[in-house]
Amino acid sequence: MNPAMSPIDAPTRWSVALETKPDFDQAMDRIYAWYEQQVIDRPPVRFSRHNALYADADAAAQARYSNIKDWWFDAEYQLERFLRGLESKRFLGETFPLFWPNLGPNVFAGCYGCPLVFGEVTTWAEPIITDYAQLPTLDWQSEYLAKLDELTLRALEQAPGRYLVGYTDLHPGIDWLAALRGTEPLLYDFYDNPDDVEAMLATSTPDFLAYYDHFDTLLKAHKQPSVSWMEIPSFGRMHIPSCDFATMVSPRHFRQYIWPVLAAECAAMTHNVFHMDGKGVAHHVDAILELPNVQAIQWVQGVADDMPIMQWTPLIRKLQAAGKSVVVDLQLNELDPFMDAMRPEGIFICVSTESEAQEHDVLRRLAQWVPA
């Protein structure tokens, strides 16, 4: 047994045989070590590539639908689209063949009656709360939940031995309430209706956990690990807590209203990787580091002046010093200086490559990055 694996989690592991990922078990050994800020032979790495021809084909497919929502809702096409992407592809490092049902980041709010507006690459919610005296409830008959069920079940039918099936992008808590209420009205509510905000947030966690359990139970029944859009699996219950709305609130409001909800989410999970989206959210880093049961932070540095990654090494060191593992996105030309400046324990690298040869080169270089 991998010494980095906790006694609680070790019995929950099972072997997953995938023809597209024959080294699945070894990859999971590295990830479980990473959860605990340890390194077996090298830090984990996920590769991604941009396929221009595939993107052009997808745009052409969208144009054949009378409206873009029909494209999103065509479960048969979405699965076929994913399966085409598996053809002749090798999943090196800690890159996994993963189908995750996706209707955009506000689908949880959508299941409360928020209409989702569908774009080419994402969706957004139209707010519906105008009066806290008349609050929506979770609709288990929502067309969005029904579509997620269909996407999941279709994918599970063909998954054995070929790929993983994940659960959808879930944003409960304050991001959920911002979708329901609208960002600007919610900001005013912190001053005009604080009791309503607090009461509404209190309803989020039980509904979220029931919603999460709905998919977790289904996926576990098919021997699927727990994994979502971040593509980092767990054999327990993996969650990606987040709070993009936090960039607009004060530290006092974050701790009073938002922190308790995040803490309740994290306490119900086996592994949590907090999605810290940019320097605005990072203003609350000390409070985030106090959240219970958070094993790792995904640091999203942003673009333009927020690049390159090297300016954020002090923050990443702070996260490591607090006992947290870190997910970072690097450009290929940043890999060597980043390795020179940082220690490898608890680092999970995501990097975009142009070829399999580049990926093998990255793996070779990471194998030379050893703990001091």
Side-chain angles (χ1 to χ4, degrees):
M1 183 177 70
N2 173 9
M5 199 184 306
S6 71
I8 293 175
D9 290 334
T12 70
R13 287 192 61 166
W14 60 88
S15 181
V16 177
L18 297 175
E19 61 186 35
T20 51
K21 184 64 177 169
D23 61 340
F24 179 90
D25 290 341
Q26 293 90 339
M28 289 303 298
D29 284 342
R30 294 188 188 98
I31 287 176
Y32 264 63
W34 169 80
Y35 277 131
E36 301 184 17
Q37 277 206 303
Q38 298 187 26
V39 177
I40 297 177
D41 54 350
R42 60 164 175 78
V45 56
R46 184 176 76 239
F47 299 109
S48 61
R49 294 190 214 170
H50 174 67
N51 189 325
L53 293 177
Y54 182 74
D56 290 343
D58 210 45
Q62 289 179 352
R64 293 196 295 268
Y65 291 81
S66 59
N67 64 74
I68 196 68
K69 178 182 176 181
D70 290 344
W71 178 82
W72 286 80
F73 265 49
D74 188 340
E76 182 178 359
Y77 169 77
Q78 295 301 338
L79 181 58
E80 290 176 355
R81 173 176 172 248
F82 166 75
L83 292 175
R84 287 199 306 272
L86 290 182
E87 296 175 2
S88 303
K89 182 174 181 180
R90 294 187 64 197
F91 295 87
L92 301 181
E94 285 57 60
T95 314
F96 297 96
L98 170 67
F99 179 88
W100 63 279
N102 176 34
L103 294 179
N106 288 316
V107 69
F108 185 51
C111 292
Y112 284 76
C114 273
L116 296 182
V117 180
F118 290 81
E120 292 182 1
V121 296
T122 191
T123 69
W124 56 95
E126 293 184 338
I128 58 172
I129 293 180
T130 57
D131 183 352
Y132 279 101
Q134 297 179 331
L135 297 176
T137 57
L138 178 59
D139 179 9
W140 289 96
Q141 306 304 315
S142 165
E143 65 169 332
Y144 304 127
L145 180 56
K147 185 55 60 176
L148 290 174
D149 280 342
E150 181 186 358
L151 286 163
T152 303
L153 290 169
R154 279 182 177 269
L156 286 170
E157 289 175 358
Q158 300 189 50
R162 302 175 69 189
Y163 56 86
L164 304 180
V165 180
Y167 66 89
T168 196
D169 191 1
L170 291 176
H171 290 259
I174 197 69
D175 288 342
W176 159 81
L177 185 52
L180 288 167
R181 175 68 166 141
T183 298
E184 186 172 337
L186 182 56
L187 287 170
Y188 283 111
D189 287 340
F190 277 98
Y191 297 93
D192 299 335
N193 304 296
D195 292 342
D196 291 325
V197 171
E198 192 165 27
M200 189 67 179
L201 286 174
T203 71
S204 169
T205 303
D207 281 356
F208 160 68
L209 293 177
Y211 198 93
Y212 180 97
D213 287 344
H214 171 80
F215 290 104
D216 189 63
T217 300
L218 174 60
L219 293 169
K220 291 286 176 35
H222 289 78
K223 303 300 291 182
Q224 291 285 336
S226 182
V227 60
S228 190
W229 61 267
M230 200 178 288
E231 303 182 30
I232 300 178
S234 166
F235 289 98
R237 294 160 60 87
M238 191 274 176
H239 176 44
I240 307 171
S242 63
C243 183
D244 294 354
F245 188 85
T247 191
M248 294 174 283
V249 304
S250 69
R252 177 175 69 86
H253 284 148
F254 183 88
R255 286 185 177 274
Q256 180 176 355
Y257 297 104
I258 300 171
W259 193 95
V261 180
L262 289 169
E265 292 172 24
C266 295
M269 303 298 167
T270 309
H271 290 115
N272 292 282
V273 181
F274 191 96
H275 170 68
M276 194 158 69
D277 195 355
K279 57 191 177 187
V281 180
H283 288 155
H284 306 287
V285 62
D286 292 332
I288 291 169
L289 289 174
E290 294 171 14
L291 288 168
N293 197 31
V294 172
Q295 288 73 34
I297 309 290
Q298 182 202 30
W299 168 237
V300 183
Q301 68 196 54
V303 296
D305 291 343
D306 291 330
M307 299 177 70
I309 190 66
M310 296 307 294
Q311 66 185 297
W312 300 109
T313 53
L315 172 62
I316 297 169
R317 290 193 192 97
K318 177 175 182 172
L319 301 177
Q320 286 181 300
K324 307 300 181 185
S325 300
V326 189
V327 183
V328 294
D329 283 275
L330 299 182
Q331 304 295 317
L332 267 178
N333 61 3
E334 296 176 320
L335 182 60
D336 287 339
F338 185 83
M339 290 192 300
D340 289 342
M342 303 296 299
R343 59 182 179 86
E345 295 93 336
I347 295 294
F348 192 124
I349 288 175
C350 302
V351 61
S352 178
T353 56
E354 298 294 334
S355 67
E356 188 175 308
Q358 286 184 341
E359 294 173 6
H360 280 292
D361 182 60
V362 169
L363 291 171
R364 177 188 59 78
R365 290 149 72 185
L366 287 177
Q368 299 171 354
W369 188 23
V370 296

